[in-house]
Amino acid sequence: MRLISVTPFLRVIHRLDVNMFNHYNLDEIRDRARAAFIGMAIGDALGATVEFMTASEIASKYGTFKEIIGGGWLRLKPGQVTDDTQMALCIARAIVKSQAWSLGAVADNFAAWLKSRPVDCGDTCRKGIRAYMLHGTMETPPNEWDAGNGAAMRMLPVALFSLPDGELLRKYTLEQAHLTHNNPVSDAACICLGELLHLAICGAEKSRLRRQVDGLTSRFPSFAFDPYRGLASGYVVDTLQTVFHWFFRGKSFDECLVGTVNQGGDADTTGAICGMLAGAYYGMEGIPQRWLKKMDRAVIAEIESVTLKLVAASPLGTVF
Ligand SMILES: [Mg+2]
């Protein structure tokens, strides 16, 4: 059952009023939060196999690509995740360890991760993390070219930790994003994605999520996705158009994700973002067991642990 009202959830909450939370069932919220984080990892692991392929190359090689098999240009093991999930976990660990928002802890975790020679790291992320390592830079300078999807792909932990406060979401979002990407189009994408995650985790219907996206496209018309152009590159506009197209058209977690990754392009990241959104919307019962069984067990165990802690430490978790 979806929840009754989500209207209070995008209001700015300065003083927590326990009565505001009476409509919400924390068990359902925890379930959707877990599904969002696990869905992100599944989308990453599924999509990575077909990253940089075109939709027609995928169709001629696989028909419809829909199984977690590893490989791809990164030569992954089946169920192995990439930078999308790893950077999200860096943020999640920083919050859980600090029991608070600490941008320095996030930056330290990004730096340690980059030093660990990750399987993949985008150029803009690498540049921002290196600026922190070399100069302590916590906010990369504004750059019209830094509109890749690298800040959006790691949004989930700050959405969980800020539940359901839109003002906190915005603060954490911009701070984490600007470690590597300082661009108004990236910022708008990150904030909208965070708002969609808040709404979906709190039980909103797709029609409500669609209205939130319409708000984005009225301010930034380039995000309009109907008619869908079929571009799925790492440019955050292409990425979100692909996710929106398949998320709003799909009738299940499986359909949303399969449609998304079969567009190819930056398929691990479109998969990760669609996976977090569809996971938040459909909950754990929507996630196919055949995919869950293929995932790296240590990654899933850590996701389960940090997700519960992030929700418990959020404004929502602290009133239950
Ligand atoms: Mg990746």
Side-chain angles (χ1 to χ4, degrees):
M1 190 187 81
R2 304 203 71 78
L3 297 170
I4 303 160
S5 166
V6 292
T7 309
F9 270 73
L10 288 181
R11 287 187 191 142
V12 175
I13 301 168
H14 293 291
R15 292 185 307 278
L16 293 178
D17 176 351
V18 173
N19 292 327
M20 283 187 70
F21 297 88
N22 284 346
H23 290 306
Y24 304 99
N25 177 328
L26 192 59
D27 287 338
E28 290 183 9
I29 285 169
R30 284 196 196 104
D31 177 88
R32 286 191 286 263
R34 279 175 66 212
F37 220 137
I38 290 171
M40 179 191 70
I42 286 175
D44 183 5
L46 180 72
T49 303
V50 292
E51 187 182 9
F52 298 134
M53 293 174 75
T54 66
S56 56
E57 284 168 350
I58 296 168
S60 63
K61 184 166 182 182
Y62 297 104
T64 301
F65 175 72
K66 55 187 179 186
E67 301 302 334
I68 293 175
I69 56 173
W73 75 284
L74 295 171
R75 298 167 189 258
L76 300 171
K77 296 183 207 117
Q80 187 177 351
V81 295
T82 74
D83 49 342
D84 309 64
T85 305
Q86 290 169 345
M87 292 190 85
L89 280 170
C90 284
I91 296 176
R93 287 180 202 127
I95 296 170
V96 167
K97 188 175 175 195
S98 310
Q99 282 295 297
W101 178 247
S102 167
L103 188 64
V106 173
D108 285 342
N109 283 359
F110 282 173
W113 169 74
L114 188 60
K115 281 188 212 157
S116 76
R117 296 177 170 268
V119 65
D120 191 22
C121 178
D123 291 342
T124 310
C125 288
R126 185 185 303 276
K127 185 180 69 175
I129 298 167
R130 285 184 60 82
Y132 173 73
M133 291 162 73
L134 293 169
H135 311 295
T137 308
M138 303 278 273
E139 182 172 18
T140 195
N143 186 333
E144 66 173 307
W145 303 106
D146 287 350
N149 55 23
M153 72 188 190
R154 55 183 198 241
M155 270 302 299
L156 182 58
V158 303
L160 298 179
F161 183 56
S162 60
L163 275 171
D165 186 330
E167 191 169 277
L168 275 182
L169 171 70
R170 192 178 170 84
K171 169 184 157 61
Y172 301 155
T173 294
L174 294 178
E175 288 188 11
Q176 79 81 8
H178 290 182
L179 283 170
T180 56
H181 294 63
N182 191 348
N183 176 283
V185 176
S186 167
D187 290 348
C190 290
I191 290 168
C192 180
L193 180 59
E195 290 169 347
L196 293 171
L197 291 165
H198 273 192
L199 285 164
I201 288 169
C202 294
E205 297 291 348
K206 277 197 184 176
S207 56
R208 177 66 188 85
L209 272 59
R210 180 62 199 252
R211 288 209 302 282
Q212 203 67 22
V213 174
D214 290 344
L216 173 70
T217 55
S218 70
R219 283 174 283 117
F220 291 86
S222 62
F223 284 99
F225 61 97
D226 187 12
Y228 176 54
R229 299 180 305 152
L231 302 179
S233 78
Y235 176 41
V236 74
V237 169
D238 293 349
T239 301
L240 284 201
Q241 283 180 351
T242 298
V243 170
F244 292 155
H245 174 75
W246 290 107
F247 173 72
F248 287 112
R249 149 183 298 230
K251 298 281 188 288
S252 64
F253 179 87
D254 192 316
E255 268 186 35
C256 296
L257 202 51
V258 168
T260 295
V261 301
N262 277 270
Q263 292 297 143
D266 200 1
D268 57 330
T269 301
T270 58
I273 294 175
C274 185
M276 69 179 87
L277 194 54
Y281 186 78
Y282 292 103
M284 285 304 295
E285 72 175 4
I287 294 186
Q289 286 295 314
R290 76 176 198 281
W291 285 342
L292 192 51
K293 283 181 190 157
K294 282 279 168 59
M295 294 302 295
D296 182 318
R297 284 187 181 209
V299 169
I300 296 297
E302 182 175 13
I303 284 173
E304 301 258 16
S305 166
V306 295
T307 300
L308 287 177
K309 289 174 182 165
L310 290 170
V311 173
S314 71
L316 181 66
T318 56
V319 298
F320 279 91

